Amino acid sequence: GLLENQITNILAAVDKMFQPVELSAEQRQSLYKKYSITKKLVMYAPGGFDERKNFDNLIYAYAQLSQEVRTKHQLIIISQVSEEDKQKVLNSVKNANLNESEMIITGYVPDDELIAFYNLATLFVFPSKHEGFGLPVLEAMACGAPVIASNSTSIPEVIGWEEALFDPFSINSISKKIEQALTEKAFCEQLKKHGLKQAGRFSWDDSAKK
């Protein structure tokens, strides 16, 4: 029952430290060694481990990828995690018949390493069922990562491109979109280009002015 002129959407934004960076071979090797990463990164930074973060569907969707794709990649979940939550995710990995080496949970990483991971990611996937905004999506796009994400709640507004979205309640939908992003080079390049442009729309200064 509110009038449109009584509401202003100020959006949100991320810190300017989230940006494309050039990483040396030594920096990359050091990061990979620290977290036992041996392949290309399919990354998820969930910002928590509650049920809405949709780990089960992501893991089962990843297990549906073609063997050729899975051989070249590892699913990397970057977040602080309790031992109980970690065990729940590892149980899902086991139930999905994935090898434990196919998925890595890093635990807490400092901001400089998080930014490095965003820049190194072959793909950033955000399958959350419900968000208030979805800051990790914007962080990843601002760093130049190709990003695909849920078509639910606020996330489409952050992404700004329907082709980059999937149904978080459908394992098949998630799997197909991951496979497309990892096998179609032109689509992956479009995701990167769109993400950087879209991330530029979000500004704390603009929000403050509004």
Side-chain angles (χ1 to χ4, degrees), residues 32-43:
Y32 274 36
K33 184 178 180 180
K34 180 176 179 179
Y35 295 102
S36 302
I37 298 166
T38 57
K39 300 175 183 178
K40 295 177 180 178
L41 307 182
V42 176
M43 175 182 169

Side-chain angles (χ1 to χ4, degrees), residues 12 23 26 33 60 91-92 101 114-115 119-120 122 136 163 171 189:
L23 294 163
E26 289 77 18
K33 184 178 180 180
Y60 282 104
N91 286 341
S92 295
S101 63
L114 177 61
I115 292 165
N119 276 270
L120 291 169
T122 302
E163 276 298 304
I171 291 169
E189 288 301 317

Side-chain angles (χ1 to χ4, degrees), residues 68-136:
E68 182 182 359
V69 169
R70 279 171 48 197
T71 299
K72 297 175 184 176
H73 300 86
Q74 283 173 302
L75 179 61
I76 312 297
I77 295 175
I78 297 177
S79 177
Q80 187 169 341
V81 60
S82 70
E83 195 55 42
E84 182 183 359
D85 285 331
K86 184 176 182 179
Q87 198 54 54
K88 286 180 184 176
V89 174
L90 291 178
N91 286 341
S92 295
V93 169
K94 185 178 180 180
N95 292 335
N97 294 318
L98 285 172
N99 294 322
E100 282 201 20
S101 63
E102 292 187 77
M103 196 205 71
I104 293 170
I105 301 175
T106 63
Y108 170 79
V109 301
D111 283 342
D112 61 329
E113 290 185 354
L114 177 61
I115 292 165
F117 274 124
Y118 282 136
N119 276 270
L120 291 169
T122 302
L123 181 66
F124 182 84
V125 185
F126 198 76
S128 179
K129 296 174 184 175
H130 183 96
E131 291 291 323
F133 180 76
L135 280 175

